């Protein structure tokens, strides 16, 4: 995964792209989208000069699918000593390794979860179910990594909003190191460092200058069993907050980008 920043007059997620396993897989997913009323359009690809298909999830977030790509070649001075690595170890700032997961807000978490399960084969590892049957959160993945795509409940009048995206560091200690760096740089720490209950990743949250919430993350469990069913938390069980972890500030569950006046 990678991220790109584009100038804009408001914060938020412009789009998220998935790379398909093959060109044929791309055509199959586009066929599924069009057969199920989620058809979008082919757009010029940002990188690679190939074709890319743009569509929206049920909440209105923009996604793209592509297969063609252009492999990154590290420039002189950043070449790694071990050729399989993408570039030399940077060792600066929070020293994040790659984008780890994306958390979106949705008015109907279940509808979005089903969209990705049925159309793309994503697996759901944890769900929070409310007393009225609605879902407050769903943690999904295309791999054994516990969370690649997360939907949590939209609690404002907004739609198609970003909650946060997370960058991975290799160890919990490096999350603490990032906190030291943020603090001395007077960068606001919204939550953490602590550990989440769902998927159990170690976290630190801030916001980049444009307003998007960013997480520096480590860990979270892996799921090797091919037939593991999602764990469904009841609201009561979730409220007991089993295990350990600091309380999350209330605004964490409200704020997203674009920011909306309530
Ligand atoms: Fe996260």
């Amino acid at each position: 995964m990678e991220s790109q920043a584009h100038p804009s007059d408001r914060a938020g997620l412009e789009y998220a792209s998935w790379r398909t396993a093959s060109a044929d897989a791309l055509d199959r997913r586009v066929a599924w989208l069009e057969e199920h009323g989620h058809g979008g359009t082919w757009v010029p690809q940002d990188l690679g000069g190939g074709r890319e298909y743009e569509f929206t999830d049920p909440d209105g977030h923009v996604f793209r699918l592509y297969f063609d790509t252009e492999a990154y070649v590290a420039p002189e001075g950043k070449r790694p000593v071990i050729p399989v690595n993408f570039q030399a170890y940077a060792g600066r700032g929070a020293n994040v390794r790659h984008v780890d997961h994306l958390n979106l807000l949705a008015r109907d978490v279940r509808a979005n979860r089903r969209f990705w399960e049925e159309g793309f084969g994503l697996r759901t590892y944890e769900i929070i179910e409310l007393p009225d049957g609605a879902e407050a959160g769903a943690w999904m993945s295309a791999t054994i990594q516990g969370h690649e795509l997360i939907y949590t409940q939209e609690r404002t009048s907004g739609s198609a909003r970003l909650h946060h995206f997370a960058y991975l560091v290799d160890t919990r200690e490096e999350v603490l190191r990032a906190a030291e760096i943020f603090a001395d740089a007077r960068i606001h720490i919204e939550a953490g460092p602590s550990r989440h209950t769902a998927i159990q990743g170690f976290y630190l949250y801030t916001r980049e200058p444009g307003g998007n919430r960013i997480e520096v993350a480590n860990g979270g469990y892996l799921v090797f069993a091919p037939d593991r069913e999602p764990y469904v938390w009841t609201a009561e069980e979730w409220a007991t907050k089993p295990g350990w972890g600091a309380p999350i500030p209330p605004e964490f569950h409200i704020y997203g980008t674009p920011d909306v006046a309530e």
Side-chain angles (χ1 to χ4, degrees), residues 77-101:
K78 290 188 175 179
R79 300 251 164 90
V81 66
I82 299 177
V84 296
N85 292 344
F86 291 107
Q87 68 175 35
Y89 187 80
R92 65 186 166 85
N95 199 38
V96 296
R97 179 186 277 268
H98 57 68
V99 178
D100 185 67
H101 60 265

Side-chain angles (χ1 to χ4, degrees), residues 18 34 46 55-56 80 93 116 141 149 151 154 186 216 246 252:
W18 294 100
E34 293 184 346
D46 266 356
F55 62 101
T56 57
W116 290 106
S141 183
L149 179 62
Y151 283 93
E154 175 62 80
R186 276 67 171 176
V216 176
F252 185 81

Side-chain angles (χ1 to χ4, degrees), residues 232-256:
V232 182
W233 295 87
T234 64
E236 297 73 35
E237 190 183 19
W238 182 257
T240 67
K241 199 169 173 41
W244 58 270
I248 295 259
E251 200 193 25
F252 185 81
H253 300 294
I254 307 291
Y255 181 81

Side-chain angles (χ1 to χ4, degrees), residues 166-177:
Y167 289 108
L168 182 94
V169 289
D170 291 332
T171 63
R172 286 187 182 180
E173 189 62 37
E174 286 172 276
V175 179
L176 303 179
R177 178 177 172 275

Side-chain angles (χ1 to χ4, degrees), residues 119-160:
F120 293 81
L122 264 61
R123 296 170 64 194
T124 303
Y125 294 135
E126 297 192 35
I127 294 170
I128 304 171
E129 199 170 89
L130 300 171
D132 66 1
E135 293 177 4
W139 284 260
M140 292 183 286
S141 183
T143 69
I144 65 169
Q145 202 266 66
H147 52 356
E148 291 184 327
L149 179 62
I150 304 162
Y151 283 93
T152 46
Q153 194 175 37
E154 175 62 80
R155 300 184 185 192
T156 75
S157 58
S159 63

